[in-house]
Amino acid sequence: MSMFSIFNVAGSAVSAQAQRLNVVASNLANADAVAGPDGQSYKARQVQFQTVPMGGPGSAGVKVQNVTESDQPGRRTYEPNHPSADGEGYVTHSNVNPVEEMVNMISASRSYQNNVEVMNTAKSLLLKTLQMGN
């Protein structure tokens, strides 16, 4: 793997993790959302990654394959006076688990930071290599 392939691989990972962070932010923003007039509540979304070949042999990056919605039912609470309550007095909330999303956010953030560090290290090594020629 050439030094330049490192930037492609780490760059693809940074881009994928940025998309993952956006999905987590959307999930957290809708954690307390209730069902709308159509009776449907917000469903948590998860990012699925896919390995993609990059450059030469043995070099693979990552991209977001798709974003899927969770099929878990929303949390229902009995609140008969709530304006969004159904005929039985229940309000359906989103199925987002804030604790899981916070863990997911920390993981994505650390992955993002690690890949930025890989690019910075590769840049530093390339600069040192250029300085050796002088």
Side-chain angles (χ1 to χ4, degrees):
M1 179 187 312
S2 75
M3 284 293 282
F4 295 109
S5 294
I6 292 172
F7 291 106
N8 291 336
V9 172
S12 72
V14 164
S15 176
Q17 293 302 332
Q19 285 183 274
R20 181 178 169 200
L21 282 168
N22 284 335
V23 169
V24 169
S26 178
N27 286 344
L28 285 171
N30 290 290
D32 290 329
V34 296
D38 62 351
Q40 298 297 314
S41 61
Y42 178 85
K43 295 192 180 295
R45 292 170 173 83
Q46 297 297 320
V47 174
Q48 294 179 340
F49 296 117
Q50 176 183 7
T51 304
V52 291
M54 299 224 145
S59 173
V62 64
K63 74 172 190 172
V64 173
Q65 182 179 18
N66 61 7
V67 178
T68 59
E69 283 188 351
S70 170
D71 59 353
Q72 297 292 323
R75 180 177 47 90
R76 290 175 47 108
T77 58
Y78 184 70
E79 301 176 51
N81 295 329
H82 194 282
S84 297
D86 62 13
E88 299 172 357
Y90 286 94
V91 176
T92 304
H93 297 268
S94 72
N95 64 354
V96 175
N97 182 336
V99 174
E100 285 180 11
E101 294 302 324
M102 291 299 291
V103 169
N104 202 4
M105 182 182 66
I106 291 168
S107 173
S109 177
R110 287 189 178 158
S111 294
Y112 184 97
Q113 291 169 348
N114 288 340
N115 283 292
V116 168
E117 189 61 31
V118 165
M119 288 192 286
N120 285 334
T121 301
K123 174 185 151 196
S124 178
L125 289 172
L126 283 171
L127 288 173
K128 294 272 187 208
T129 302
L130 290 172
Q131 289 174 354
M132 288 174 58
N134 291 334

